[in-house]
Amino acid sequence: MTSTLAYAALSQGSTVEPFKIERRELRDDDIAMDVLYCGVCHSDLHQIRNDWHNSVYPVVPGHEIVGRVTAVGAGVTKHQVGDTVAVGCLVDSCRVCEPCEEGLEQFCEKYPTPTYNGQDRHDGSMTFGGYSGQLVTSERFVLRVPEGLDPERAAPLLCAGITTWSPLRHWKVGPGTKVAVIGLGGLGHMGVKLAVGLGAEVTVITTSPGKSEDARALGAIDVLISKDEDAMKAAGSRFDFILDTIPVPHDIAPYLSLAKRDGSVVIVGVIDMVPTFHSGVLLMGRRALSASMIGGIPETQELLDFCAEHNILPDCETISMAEINHAYERMDRSDVKYRFVIDMSTLGKD
């Protein structure tokens, strides 16, 4: 076991503070890394607050991790010491069920092991995330950071990026596809950039007219203000694919009517109960309402390679580790464009 400094929430409602954790000795298929950068996800805040009623304390958050390999197990073949690598939301799965064999580990039939606040499948210990100096995990869940991809800004691709990339790929968004992205936050801004990168015609739907300039700067060709009833009515049946990134419960019905016949609305933001709606809005256009989460390991590597090739990166604000609790406060009031990234070289230097 190796001791390393981390930041942890020790109880519900607490801030995250310096805390020593132990990293396991290398198993045959493990790699050890120094954590260079870690993205800050709203899931981190949900977990330290126990909003989903599953937190086990201490919680060391962080599942948007970029690091440098420092050691490898005897059976490791894909990575070597000195490589720049990444770890996302998962660090293990059963590896043998149908989804796992298809590279869809996020749908593991025995439930995947999350990077933090999960239980290790071998020794039963709790997993600790990337708000830490070092990380040890199986090479099967370690991704290659392509040459030319900025490691600092790449970190949020491991959650915000793959959460939007996976549905865009599954629903075959490409040149000529008319896409709407609802919401322009951490997820929404990546949805816009990636859909544009795939060749789609993108419209941003927002409640805030002030975001129009930002939306167009990200590549959107149009902005639809959802509070403008006339504009929403005029946009009926316009879009092939609608990506809903709103993170809180909201009325979905107004957005369903914007989908074309056989169009799809896909929820990626809210994890909660949603208001009911009349089924006629689906029936009258054979519209589909679905949802998507993160992607599997092959799809996440595909995303990193695509972003390197097309120079697509999240808009980030880099902070020190000591600033994390203030960053949570700002994130709560949407005071960031659009993701925070922690420079982990600042760990222990507050």
Side-chain angles (χ1 to χ4, degrees):
M1 303 285 282
T2 301
S3 179
T4 187
L5 181 61
Y7 262 55
L10 302 184
S11 62
Q12 184 173 348
S14 69
T15 57
V16 290
E17 305 295 341
F19 184 73
K20 285 281 189 176
I21 61 172
E22 300 292 327
R23 293 299 190 188
R24 65 174 181 259
E25 296 298 320
L26 293 182
R27 299 166 185 159
D28 278 353
D29 70 336
D30 275 347
I31 67 107
M33 71 172 75
D34 286 337
V35 179
L36 303 177
Y37 299 100
C38 187
V40 181
C41 180
H42 216 107
S43 298
D44 300 346
L45 194 51
H46 286 307
Q47 288 287 7
I48 67 172
R49 290 174 171 173
N50 197 24
D51 288 341
W52 296 330
H53 309 293
N54 66 345
S55 299
V56 178
Y57 298 94
V59 172
V60 176
H63 59 203
E64 299 176 341
I65 304 163
V66 174
R68 183 169 294 115
V69 177
T70 57
V72 299
V76 169
T77 59
K78 296 179 181 177
H79 306 285
Q80 59 186 5
V81 173
D83 285 354
T84 303
V85 294
V87 174
C89 302
L90 305 178
V91 291
D92 208 351
S93 67
C94 82
R95 309 189 187 192
V96 296
C97 69
E98 184 176 326
C100 286
E101 289 187 341
E102 293 178 4
L104 298 170
E105 295 90 351
Q106 75 272 32
F107 300 127
C108 175
E109 292 173 357
K110 295 185 178 179
Y111 200 77
T113 304
T115 301
Y116 69 89
N117 200 49
Q119 190 171 39
D120 184 89
R121 305 178 99 87
H122 301 276
D123 62 21
S125 62
M126 292 302 296
T127 57
F128 294 136
Y131 291 17
S132 59
Q134 286 82 38
L135 185 74
V136 175
T137 194
S138 167
E139 73 163 341
R140 176 164 173 162
F141 292 82
V142 176
L143 299 138
R144 173 181 52 82
V145 175
E147 188 174 347
L149 190 67
D150 183 348
E152 180 175 343
R153 293 178 64 194
L157 294 175
L158 282 305
C159 182
I162 188 58
T163 297
T164 50
W165 176 256
S166 185
L168 290 171
R169 294 293 284 157
H170 180 77
W171 274 271
K172 296 180 173 55
V173 168
T177 307
K178 288 181 170 56
V179 170
V181 176
I182 309 171
L184 196 62
L187 290 178
H189 96 288
M190 281 309 308
V192 173
K193 288 190 175 192
L194 292 170
V196 170
L198 288 166
E201 300 174 14
V202 180
T203 295
V204 167
I205 303 176
T206 176
T207 59
S208 305
K211 291 187 176 181
S212 296
E213 185 176 342
D214 290 344
R216 289 186 169 88
L218 293 168
I221 62 170
D222 197 9
V223 177
L224 181 59
I225 306 303
S226 58
K227 292 180 179 179
D228 185 335
E229 294 183 5
D230 290 338
M232 290 286 283
K233 185 176 181 179
S237 302
R238 180 186 297 179
F239 303 106
D240 302 296
F241 178 84
I242 301 173
L243 189 68
D244 184 347
T245 73
I246 299 173
V248 294
H250 58 284
D251 186 3
I252 297 171
Y255 305 110
L256 294 173
S257 63
L258 302 178
K260 288 182 177 179
R261 173 175 52 82
D262 294 324
S264 295
V265 177
V266 180
I267 296 171
V268 295
V270 64
I271 305 176
D272 207 329
M273 302 296 292
V274 295
T276 58
F277 57 88
H278 195 285
S279 63
V281 72
L282 298 179
L283 293 169
M284 293 305 293
R286 201 161 56 193
R287 301 176 175 108
L289 174 64
S290 189
S292 182
M293 50 187 289
I294 58 171
I297 299 304
E299 197 169 47
T300 308
Q301 186 64 63
E302 176 189 61
L303 165 66
L304 294 176
D305 294 341
F306 180 86
C307 288
E309 180 182 353
H310 296 272
N311 193 30
I312 296 174
L313 286 165
D315 289 6
C316 303
E317 180 180 335
T318 303
I319 61 171
S320 69
M321 188 72 255
E323 294 177 282
I324 182 60
N325 292 301
H326 180 56
Y328 284 155
E329 293 173 4
R330 288 180 55 194
M331 191 165 60
D332 249 355
R333 58 179 187 264
S334 301
D335 179 25
V336 58
K337 287 185 178 180
Y338 287 95
R339 303 288 287 196
F340 288 115
V341 174
I342 306 166
D343 178 352
M344 296 305 298
S345 69
T346 65
L347 181 65
K349 297 181 180 179
D350 48 322

